[in-house]
Amino acid sequence: MEEVIAKPYRKIIHVDMDAFYASIEQRDFPEYRGKPIAVGGSPDGRGGVVATASYEARKFGVRSAMPSKKAKQLCPQLIFVYPRFSVYKEVSSKIREIFLRYTDLIEPLSLDEAYLDVTEDKPGIGSAIDIAKQIKEAIQSELQLTASAGVSINKFVAKIASDMHKPNGLTFIGPSRVEAFVEKLPVEKFFGVGKVTAEKMKKMHLHTGADLKQLSEADLVRYFGKAGRFYYKIVRGQDDRPVQPDRETKSVGAEDTFAYDLTDVEEMVLQVKKIAVLVVNRLQKNQLKGRTVTLKIKYHDFRQITRSKSFTVGIDDEETIKETALELLKGTEIDQVKVRLLGISLSNFGELQPRFKQRGETEQLGLFDE
Ligand code: DCP
Ligand code: MG
């Protein structure tokens, strides 16, 4: 007789705070409660982008990363509030303390979001749903804030679940429902499917998980490269990625693959500026300053290069990041070869050792062909 050892399902919770920055501002300043507010941007509605908006503001269509001017047009009574990052960071560590009562396996994704593996929980509660409820209650009673949670057997499904009944939601997708759940998802929801891949999938009449499931692993790899292997597993509800506690952020960046190859240098400059804004948002969201700025270019002929420049101090401001990225762009072949992808990332978040501090600005030029 064949021995079958069933692998027990993991119990994964994804917790994501509701309108995080905005909820904290409404908590601390009662005059903002029940009102449409935007954290970030500028009060005159002219410059900058919205970091996040209260749910009252979202009814008007105000969203994260929207230019304040547009937000003000959509919602003229919108109140712009200056962000208090140190407060958000403090709240974030209090949330973490709550998580730690249940498990040490916590993987934060940003200040307001984390995965928890509660397959074994410290108090011995056993039910992941009950743990999620208790966490939500503790966040409510101790911090006067609401969170949404997704509970499932893997990270991928737990994360999508946490977003389904926002705000103050709790969504459980049990083992027997995972596959049907994933089949119904639109392709955009799949991990790693960006704009360009989603377009490509739609052209191939692949709209949902169920459509992707019709393809063999070999086909998926042929059409979508390495990611195809991941799609093959994920549409079958399989995601073995472990919850990695204290994963150190090594780099923060953003990149864009263009729907057509860029030839115009001015357009590249514009794109680099746009990408820089995204990177700045991510840095600020995670309270990080990096000493190294890296520009990545993928040429039309698939060669990929990176160019970096390092500073003695960490930076997170838009001006410096834009300027540095544009400076790095100059030393490349962009005037001769078409460009398919541009990206910017910041790394080296740790403090610089004092003995290097006197050396001033260092510049590294790296060329990596993939
Ligand atoms: N943030 C930012 N810039 C963005 C997106 C988010 O600065 N482009 C900041 C503000 C948010 C926080 O990060 O409050 C958390 O991001 P979320 O995407 O989780 O958004 P919210 O918590 O604000 O709203 P939701 O209820 O949709 O989770
Ligand atoms: Mg959130």
Side-chain angles (χ1 to χ4, degrees):
M1 205 178 78
E2 205 183 318
E3 198 185 356
V4 181
I5 301 166
K7 211 175 145 199
Y9 290 114
R10 290 183 295 160
K11 299 173 189 171
I12 309 293
I13 305 177
H14 178 260
V15 180
D16 188 308
M17 300 297 292
D18 301 322
F20 189 52
Y21 298 178
S23 304
I24 294 174
E25 297 306 327
Q26 288 181 321
R27 177 193 74 174
D28 296 350
F29 300 94
E31 62 269 34
Y32 296 150
R33 291 183 198 159
K35 302 239 168 76
I37 72 164
V39 178
S42 68
D44 57 8
R46 268 194 253 142
V49 296
V50 171
T52 197
S54 66
Y55 277 81
E56 293 84 354
R58 291 183 196 194
K59 285 191 200 129
F60 294 86
V62 180
R63 295 282 180 272
S64 288
M66 180 180 275
S68 357
K69 194 174 157 193
K70 174 143 189 236
K72 187 93 188 166
Q73 277 165 2
L74 289 172
C75 178
Q77 68 273 45
L78 188 65
I79 303 166
F80 286 89
V81 180
Y82 201 78
R84 296 179 299 151
F85 292 112
S86 56
V87 177
Y88 311 148
K89 198 168 184 186
E90 207 179 300
V91 173
S92 183
S93 55
K94 290 199 173 131
I95 297 167
R96 189 185 163 85
E97 281 169 25
I98 294 173
F99 294 160
L100 278 167
R101 295 172 198 165
Y102 301 91
T103 180
D104 290 330
L105 287 177
I106 303 164
E107 179 180 335
L109 296 178
S110 69
L111 287 184
D112 93 317
E113 206 186 326
Y115 290 113
L116 280 67
D117 186 328
V118 295
T119 312
E120 283 171 43
D121 68 283
K122 291 182 188 173
I125 296 165
S127 156
I129 301 173
D130 287 345
I131 296 168
K133 274 188 196 152
Q134 290 189 19
I135 287 173
K136 278 165 52 68
E137 278 161 17
I139 290 173
Q140 175 68 258
S141 64
E142 295 168 36
L143 303 171
Q144 291 80 49
L145 293 168
T146 63
S148 294
V151 179
S152 193
I153 56 171
N154 62 42
K155 283 182 169 184
F156 175 72
V157 178
K159 183 162 161 95
I160 292 176
S162 73
D163 204 40
M164 286 176 64
H165 295 104
K166 258 184 177 293
N168 203 9
L170 172 57
T171 310
F172 169 64
I173 308 291
S176 61
R177 284 172 49 220
V178 162
E179 244 185 295
F181 176 81
V182 175
E183 280 180 7
K184 284 207 193 78
L185 287 180
V187 291
E188 290 88 349
K189 290 272 186 187
F190 286 91
F191 183 79
V193 174
K195 265 189 314 218
V196 174
T197 309
E199 278 307 310
K200 185 171 166 186
M201 287 181 172
K202 288 197 174 144
K203 279 199 189 119
M204 297 167 71
H205 303 287
L206 302 168
H207 301 282
T208 63
D211 296 336
L212 288 175
K213 212 171 178 175
Q214 303 296 316
L215 300 178
S216 69
E217 186 173 2
D219 279 342
L220 283 167
V221 171
R222 181 157 48 241
Y223 301 138
F224 307 110
K226 265 185 286 182
R229 209 158 294 145
F230 186 76
Y231 303 151
Y232 182 82
K233 294 194 83 178
I234 212 78
V235 295
R236 283 161 182 77
Q238 295 161 11
D239 172 14
D240 306 327
R241 290 173 301 154
V243 172
Q244 290 177 303
D246 293 319
R247 195 183 54 174
E248 218 184 308
T249 312
K250 293 248 158 53
S251 79
V252 168
E255 57 181 49
D256 207 354
T257 304
F258 308 109
Y260 55 93
D261 295 340
L262 303 187
T263 47
D264 183 10
V265 174
E266 266 180 38
E267 197 174 350
M268 295 178 209
V269 168
L270 215 74
Q271 294 297 340
V272 164
K273 286 183 179 169
K274 262 199 208 163
I275 295 166
V277 172
L278 291 175
V279 175
V280 168
N281 282 338
R282 287 187 187 159
L283 285 169
Q284 294 179 350
K285 179 172 169 178
N286 293 289
Q287 286 265 289
L288 289 168
K289 290 184 181 203
R291 285 189 294 104
T292 303
V293 180
T294 301
L295 175 78
K296 173 165 136 186
I297 304 178
K298 213 177 252 176
Y299 293 117
H300 166 72
D301 55 14
F302 288 103
R303 271 181 309 136
Q304 179 178 303
I305 63 154
T306 58
R307 292 280 186 275
S308 312
K309 177 170 178 166
S310 295
F311 296 84
T312 47
V313 292
I315 54 168
D316 69 347
D317 69 294
E318 198 174 311
E319 200 59 36
T320 315
I321 293 173
K322 260 186 200 167
E323 250 172 46
T324 310
L326 290 176
E327 194 185 316
L328 293 168
L329 186 70
K330 275 191 201 146
T332 63
E333 295 171 49
I334 51 165
D335 43 356
Q336 296 143 46
V337 193
K338 290 189 217 169
V339 169
R340 166 158 299 179
L341 171 149
L342 286 168
I344 302 172
S345 65
L346 270 279
S347 55
N348 274 323
F349 300 121
E351 275 297 303
L352 193 61
Q353 294 306 312
R355 70 192 163 97
F356 293 122
K357 271 194 174 153
Q358 291 112 38
R359 284 220 317 234
E361 232 170 54
T362 55
E363 192 164 343
Q364 279 175 287
L365 290 180
L367 179 70
F368 304 108
D369 285 10
E370 237 184 12

